[in-house]
Amino acid sequence: MKFTLSWLKDHLETEASLAEICDKLTMIGLEVESVDDRAVFEPFRIARVLSAAQHPDADRLKLLSVDAGPEVNGGKPLQIVCGAPNAREGLVGVLALPGVYVPGIDTTLAVGKIRGVESFGMMCSERELELSEEHDGIIDLPADAPVGMRYADYAGLIDPVIEINLTPNHPDATGVAGIARDLAAAGLGRLKTPEVPRIEGEGEVGVSLHVTSATCLGFALRRVSCVRNGPSPEWLQKRLKAIGLRPINALVDVTNYLTFDRGRPLHVFDAGKVAGALTVRDAGEGETILALDQREYTLPAGTCVIADDKGVESIAGIMGGEHSGCDEATTEVLIESALWEPLDIARTGRTLGIITDARYRFERGVDPAFMEPGLDLATQMVLDLCGGTASKRVVEGVKAFEPKEVRLPLTEFERLTGLSIDAGEQERILGVLGFQPRRDGDALVCTVASWRPDVDGKADLVEEVMRLHGVDEIRPAPLASHAAVNGRILTTAQIRDRAARRALAARGMVECVSYSFVSEAEAKAFGGGDAALKLANPISADLSDMRPSVLPGLIAAAGRNAARGYGDTALFEVAGIYQSDTPDGQKRVVGGIRRGTAGMDGPGRFWSGNSAAVSVFDAKADAFAVLEAVGFPADKLTIEAPASAWYHPGRSGRIKLGPKVVIAEFGEFHPTVLKTLDVSGPLCGFEVFLDKVPEPKKKPTRTKPVLTLSPFQPVRRDFAFVVDDRVEAGRIVRAAEGADKALVSEVRVFDVFAGAALGEARKSVAIEVTLAPAGRTLTEEELEAVSAKIVAGVEKATGATLRS
């Protein structure tokens, strides 16, 4: 949720500084994620072009003599080389001096020569200041704009943008007015959100309205006639741009503004494009809509839609349709303000993969009592900005909001939080939040506000008071001390599990959690198949037996990865196995497998040659690493060959403690076992039986950091660059790594080639780039964009060209 400081002050009368507001927001649970104080605009100044002469060596360039005011260059004119077509004598524009960072071109200016002529700055376009996409010419200000003044002060650009992170239980904070209400309750000012005047209107809507879908909890509609649609006023455009929205036209901008100002999504239809009646209904099988994002969606049966006689015009609560959208030719508009079932909106949004500001709010629950006032507020803004006359409203399908009363004993706050707050302060906080508290003896009776669906009982009211009074007021208190020295908290088994996980993760292996069930064939292949370990009611036919080993699940996982193009895998699991139906038959083991070239040297290709395939020695090293990690040194162990029957008889071994106790097995797998599991390729593995390992000696250990891995499948892309043979491969690797640090996790050189075909003193360096998405799976368009950034980064850093 983004908003500007001036926008907040439309609803909150406060003398607090930006820092105080941000601190208080975080303290009351509206965590501030970022603050853009717009300081990037401060260095730009208003300047006047005194003369504009033709550049001696370039037809499209001009030499400008520019006055930037008495504070710049001692008041003397500056020489600027400019290629803008509108550069002329007398123009008043925006000047960037040497040393100023220009965000639109991501460049810090310096004094430079352009076609042999020195230039001491730059006259800027709107796109170069990231004010808009306009770049056909430099900014042209009114002739009376004060020369030498900071452009940010003149244009009102120094308006900090605050972004907060919302929890799902605060739908009221999806609007700036709700955020201001919380800050006022926290004592940071006075709430001054104006009341919404009721507009009755004249005449009929002229469109019949029918509501048949259970998803719709209320629908209000009004026509505004004789509107003049066009660009919205500058103040509105600035606010939308500041929070990352693109101004479209006045009618659409009004709905976007109110979505963020009051947390009330609305929609506008071009009444001239609506055929017949509007019906709020469930979609039929196969119905489609061309939405406002220019994409066509096939709607699942049962999706709530708004339709006219021609078909679907809007996906309810999520996105409108392109056909009935408003443009500059719109003169008759229908304004919609509706309520929707939150779960249905969330389900539809997930199914269709659409994320919009309207969906974000409706799936959390908007204020049901603000449906009609929201319609009136939108109507008033349309009348103010576009003119016209408003009809009466039509309201259908409304399920009346029934406020809940909650009794809060005044002593409950101290009982639940340990804090003592004056009853008057509790009453003030709840009153500003809109709960209308009234005294009833030693309790407050509160009416739950319509915009707070998360408040259900007295504990919720206590939480609200505590949140706004200040969680920092709760002082830490030590736990009561025991009479004896505390022993260790973790058991030996827990300590061993953690140590084994860390050791294998540090060796490049990925932890898996697989089913405890396997098929009968897999169980028999690994020494199981006991009738006592068969499931009476298996979830599927191929999960019929309790597993005698963790290896079948790991091998199957490696096979699935290989089928999806990720053949080099190193997986492990710390879990239980089942050798009988008695308590002693359940064992705790650490098992792991490596496939392909996923040895300790790392999987993949290198310029000097491919990695070797995994072997028995990799599995042996993993087993010994686990034993060392759980506190049992290798010098007390012996090895004998072969291991169990599911390992290769000539490439496996057992690790024993004494003549009888087997504490681990390792090796390459038997071909018949791999055939049974329908898996191929070089595969080795191990199992360490933790129950057989003696209690380790106590010794001090160092805490290791938490391993953080992406849950999404990595993507690999290959690039071959032709460069001068003096360019080091490391420069190419560093440039590729820096192209997108959030996505590029690894860059490897796997091929170097030089030959006559490339030209004299040229070579080809091929790299493999691994992309690791953190938040979601990448689309093809995003992959192409990252690839383009990598190519551009390498070309810029080394002068390379992509090999064709």
Side-chain angles (χ1 to χ4, degrees):
M1 173 65 187
K2 288 184 178 181
F3 55 93
T4 65
L5 182 60
S6 65
W7 197 342
L8 177 68
K9 290 185 176 181
D10 282 355
H11 298 276
L12 182 70
E13 184 179 307
T14 181
E15 298 298 325
S17 66
L18 175 64
E20 290 172 330
I21 290 173
C22 291
D23 288 344
K24 184 61 73 172
L25 284 169
T26 298
M27 193 60 64
I28 64 178
L30 305 178
E31 182 181 358
V32 175
E33 289 197 329
S34 65
V35 178
D36 180 3
D37 60 6
R38 318 308 293 273
V40 70
F41 293 117
E42 288 189 15
F44 297 92
R45 293 177 174 270
I46 297 176
R48 184 186 304 276
V49 178
L50 301 177
S51 65
Q54 184 65 45
H55 191 290
D57 293 325
D59 294 338
R60 296 187 179 182
L61 297 179
K62 297 177 182 178
L63 296 183
L64 307 182
S65 177
V66 175
D67 175 18
E71 296 180 3
V72 178
N73 197 32
K76 298 178 182 179
L78 295 170
Q79 179 174 275
I80 306 289
V81 178
C82 181
N86 65 332
R88 66 186 186 278
E89 180 180 334
L91 178 141
V92 180
V94 180
L95 172 67
L97 294 168
V100 171
Y101 173 74
V102 182
I105 57 175
D106 191 22
T107 299
T108 299
L109 296 182
V111 176
K113 282 190 175 182
I114 303 176
R115 293 291 184 93
V117 178
E118 282 191 317
S119 181
F120 295 90
M122 173 182 181
M123 299 298 287
C124 300
S125 68
E126 289 190 0
R127 188 168 77 171
E128 285 155 352
L129 295 186
E130 294 187 340
L131 299 177
S132 74
E133 291 302 312
E134 177 61 43
H135 65 286
D136 291 336
I138 56 180
I139 296 173
D140 192 347
L141 299 177
D144 60 352
V147 173
M149 183 179 184
R150 291 193 312 176
Y151 176 63
D153 294 336
Y154 174 80
L157 296 177
I158 304 299
D159 190 5
V161 178
I162 305 168
E163 182 176 8
I164 62 174
N165 181 27
L166 296 181
T167 52
N169 66 323
H170 269 288
D172 57 307
T174 59
V176 180
I179 297 169
R181 185 190 300 114
D182 272 8
L183 287 172
L188 211 64
R190 182 181 67 84
L191 186 66
K192 62 174 186 176
T193 302
E195 292 292 327
V196 179
R198 186 170 178 83
I199 298 176
E200 297 298 341
E202 298 179 358
E204 301 302 321
V205 173
V207 174
S208 298
L209 176 64
H210 308 285
V211 176
T212 62
S213 174
T215 299
C216 182
L217 307 180
F219 197 98
L221 190 69
R222 165 177 282 140
R223 177 191 290 263
V224 181
S225 303
C226 302
V227 299
R228 297 179 301 278
N229 195 16
S232 55
E234 187 177 357
W235 69 266
L236 179 52
Q237 292 193 36
K238 281 183 178 179
R239 287 194 171 171
L240 295 180
K241 289 177 183 177
I243 61 175
L245 294 181
R246 179 175 61 88
I248 299 173
N249 55 56
L251 291 173
V252 176
D253 291 352
V254 164
T255 63
N256 287 335
Y257 175 76
L258 292 179
T259 296
F260 283 84
D261 186 64
R262 299 297 184 94
R264 161 37 71 178
L266 302 136
H267 185 61
V268 287
F269 299 90
D270 187 327
K273 300 175 183 177
V274 174
L278 281 180
T279 304
V280 183
R281 59 174 173 82
D282 293 336
E285 190 67 43
E287 283 194 282
T288 61
I289 180 175
L290 178 62
L292 288 172
D293 61 358
Q294 306 299 317
R295 295 177 59 187
E296 185 171 87
Y297 295 93
T298 300
L299 305 175
T303 301
C304 185
V305 298
I306 305 168
D308 63 5
D309 292 352
K310 291 183 178 179
V312 178
E313 295 291 355
S314 176
I315 307 172
I318 296 178
M319 186 179 289
E322 176 70 21
H323 171 261
S324 59
C326 294
D327 53 30
E328 286 72 13
T330 299
T331 58
E332 302 282 326
V333 62
L334 294 172
I335 306 176
E336 164 218 322
S337 179
L339 290 175
W340 311 102
E341 174 59 45
L343 290 178
D344 290 349
I345 299 302
R347 188 180 300 111
T348 298
R350 285 196 301 269
T351 301
L352 296 176
I354 304 177
I355 299 174
T356 62
D357 295 320
R359 173 196 163 185
Y360 181 84
R361 287 157 176 79
F362 279 126
E363 68 185 6
R364 284 160 173 76
V366 301
D367 181 3
F370 199 71
M371 184 183 76
E372 292 188 49
L375 179 67
D376 289 335
L377 186 57
T379 301
Q380 187 62 59
M381 287 193 70
V382 169
L383 294 176
D384 291 342
L385 300 181
C386 303
T389 57
S391 74
K392 297 178 181 178
R393 68 173 62 83
V394 174
V395 181
E396 292 288 343
V398 175
K399 296 181 180 179
F401 172 72
E402 298 180 1
K404 180 188 302 182
E405 285 195 347
V406 177
R407 182 182 176 85
L408 174 65
L410 292 172
T411 58
E412 194 73 359
F413 186 82
E414 185 171 0
R415 185 183 75 83
L416 291 179
T417 68
L419 290 175
S420 178
I421 296 184
D422 180 73
E425 177 65 5
Q426 294 186 45
E427 188 172 359
R428 185 197 70 81
I429 291 174
L430 293 172
V432 176
L433 289 178
F435 290 104
Q436 305 172 25
R438 66 179 188 274
R439 290 289 184 99
D440 184 12
D442 60 350
L444 292 174
V445 177
C446 300
T447 302
V448 177
S450 59
W451 55 82
R452 291 305 300 271
D454 58 304
V455 175
D456 189 56
K458 60 184 180 181
D460 296 320
L461 294 177
V462 168
E463 179 186 353
E464 288 301 297
V465 175
M466 179 185 68
R467 177 175 70 90
L468 295 164
H469 177 70
V471 179
D472 57 324
E473 296 293 331
I474 300 176
R475 301 304 174 193
L479 294 174
S481 177
H482 297 290
V485 177
N486 292 329
R488 69 182 185 185
I489 297 174
L490 299 180
T491 65
T492 299
Q494 290 171 328
I495 293 171
R496 286 174 170 173
D497 284 359
R498 288 189 174 191
R501 287 188 174 99
R502 289 182 179 273
L504 293 177
R507 293 175 63 80
M509 303 185 78
V510 178
E511 185 173 7
C512 283
V513 178
S514 60
Y515 279 117
S516 297
F517 321 125
V518 295
S519 67
E520 181 179 1
E522 291 172 343
K524 289 182 177 179
F526 285 84
D530 190 341
L533 294 176
K534 289 189 175 297
L535 299 178
N537 187 24
I539 58 177
S540 68
D542 56 350
L543 297 174
S544 60
D545 289 49
M546 299 298 290
R547 65 182 176 194
S549 168
V550 297
L551 296 175
L554 295 175
I555 295 172
R560 290 192 295 271
N561 275 277
R564 288 162 175 79
Y566 192 25
D568 301 317
T569 49
L571 311 174
F572 76 90
E573 183 171 5
V574 182
I577 62 172
Y578 308 91
Q579 296 176 342
S580 71
D581 59 349
T582 64
D584 293 338
Q586 181 173 339
K587 308 293 184 183
R588 192 72 174 172
V589 302
V590 180
I593 63 101
R594 292 182 184 268
R595 186 189 185 280
T597 61
M600 276 302 294
D601 292 334
R605 300 167 291 178
F606 298 89
W607 67 270
S608 58
N610 293 343
S611 299
V614 296
S615 68
V616 60
F617 300 106
D618 294 296
K620 175 187 173 184
D622 290 334
F624 271 101
V626 171
L627 291 171
E628 289 281 355
V630 300
F632 204 80
D635 55 3
K636 296 183 179 180
L637 304 171
T638 60
I639 300 177
E640 70 174 24
S644 296
W646 47 90
Y647 291 101
H648 193 293
R651 302 174 190 168
S652 62
R654 288 177 170 172
I655 303 175
K656 301 179 70 175
L657 180 62
K660 295 183 179 180
V661 181
V662 177
I663 61 174
E665 290 188 328
F666 62 88
E668 299 176 28
F669 293 107
H670 200 289
T672 58
V673 172
L674 297 181
K675 185 176 181 180
T676 299
L677 273 65
D678 194 23
V679 177
S680 60
L683 268 160
C684 68
F686 71 92
E687 278 187 303
V688 175
F689 309 108
L690 294 177
D691 299 322
K692 300 290 184 67
V693 179
E695 182 83 16
K697 293 182 179 180
K698 294 181 180 179
K699 61 179 181 180
T701 59
R702 295 177 62 187
T703 302
K704 297 180 181 179
V706 175
L707 179 68
T708 303
L709 298 173
S710 171
F712 298 96
Q713 183 84 6
V715 180
R716 290 183 172 84
R717 288 286 175 96
D718 293 348
F719 302 86
F721 295 96
V722 177
V723 295
D724 190 282
D725 61 2
R726 292 173 296 178
V727 175
E728 300 90 352
R731 289 177 58 192
I732 297 176
V733 170
R734 287 191 296 272
E737 288 173 341
D740 193 330
K741 294 182 178 180
L743 286 176
V744 177
S745 65
E746 186 179 24
V747 179
R748 293 173 178 267
V749 177
F750 70 85
D751 182 57
V752 177
F753 168 76
L758 298 178
E760 186 177 354
R762 304 285 284 175
K763 67 179 178 181
S764 168
V765 179
I767 61 174
E768 179 187 76
V769 180
T770 302
L771 305 176
R776 58 187 176 84
T777 302
L778 298 176
T779 64
E780 192 61 31
E781 292 78 12
E782 291 169 332
L783 287 173
E784 292 299 327
V786 173
S787 299
K789 289 171 68 176
I790 292 170
V791 172
V794 174
E795 288 178 349
K796 182 178 179 181
T798 65
T801 57
L802 197 64
R803 184 177 174 185
S804 58

